[in-house]
């Protein structure tokens, strides 16, 4: 999955999410595949990637450094509760061997009202990887890794 790729999140109820924490892959030296920018969209009408119901609620630089396994946290000014979220990575940090893939080790989409993430990124339900937990709530998970066409 390359530039324009991302994922959707389906929550049990409408929730205000206004921050994104990303961790880069630590098992390689390909910093060029790290996302350079992000866009976050919200919807209460479903998680179809191509739907017109998505409203952009945040965008910006990911803030990831070239150091492998690094973590960055970015906040965006969303104050509206949505049941579905879509995160898109429009650009990567570069091209490696002619390719511009997007890869992240973990993504955590969460609310900052309390100043801390809702839960723990390590509290995954059985048979689910930590990378599938999006907002620290084991009941919420990444529904789809998507690529724009």
């Amino acid at each position: 999955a390359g530039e324009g790729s991302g994922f959707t999140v389906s929550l049990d109820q409408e929730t205000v999410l206004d921050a994104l924490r990303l961790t880069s892959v630590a098992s390689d030296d390909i910093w060029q595949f790290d996302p350079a920018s992000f866009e976050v969209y919200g919807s209460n009408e479903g998680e179809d990637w191509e739907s017109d119901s998505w409203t952009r609620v945040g965008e910006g630089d990911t803030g990831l450094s070239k150091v492998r396994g690094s973590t960055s946290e970015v906040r965006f000014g969303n104050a509206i509760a949505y049941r579905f979220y879509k995160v898109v990575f429009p650009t990567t940090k570069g091209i490696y061997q002619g390719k511009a893939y997007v890869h992240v080790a973990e993504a955590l989409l969460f609310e900052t009202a309390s100043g801390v993430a809702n839960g723990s990124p390590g509290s995954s339900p059985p048979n689910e990887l930590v990378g599938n937990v999006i907002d620290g709530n084991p009941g919420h998970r990444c529904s789809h890794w998507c690529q724009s066409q």
Side-chain angles (χ1 to χ4, degrees):
E3 293 179 335
S5 299
F7 58 90
T8 59
V9 177
S10 176
L11 305 173
D12 296 333
Q13 62 187 20
E14 295 176 6
T15 305
V16 174
L17 301 179
D18 60 0
L20 175 65
R21 183 179 304 143
L22 298 171
T23 302
S24 66
V25 174
S27 61
D28 65 37
D29 292 328
I30 310 173
W31 58 265
Q32 294 91 335
F33 289 172
D34 291 348
S37 61
F38 74 94
E39 295 174 349
V40 178
Y41 297 84
S43 173
N44 286 316
E45 297 180 27
E47 59 185 327
D48 177 17
W49 186 264
E50 301 297 331
S51 172
D52 291 333
S53 71
W54 294 108
T55 300
R56 185 168 33 202
V57 298
E59 65 181 321
D61 185 337
T62 62
L64 282 171
S65 76
K66 290 182 183 179
V67 176
R68 310 316 303 140
S70 65
T71 298
S72 71
E73 185 175 296
V74 291
R75 297 176 186 210
F76 45 93
N78 180 39
I80 299 173
Y82 293 102
R83 184 160 173 247
F84 306 99
Y85 284 87
K86 174 170 75 169
V87 178
V88 179
F89 301 112
T91 59
T92 61
K93 291 190 170 190
I95 296 173
Y96 180 78
Q97 296 182 345
K99 298 180 173 117
Y101 293 129
V102 172
H103 67 190
V104 294
E106 290 186 9
L108 179 70
L109 191 59
F110 64 99
E111 178 181 8
T112 59
S114 64
V116 297
N118 241 342
S120 165
S123 57
S124 298
N127 301 321
E128 290 210 15
L129 300 173
V130 171
N132 292 346
V133 177
I134 300 303
D135 68 353
N137 181 332
H140 302 165
R141 62 180 169 76
C142 178
S143 299
H144 299 91
W145 182 265
C146 303
Q147 180 174 357
S148 132
Q149 298 183 12

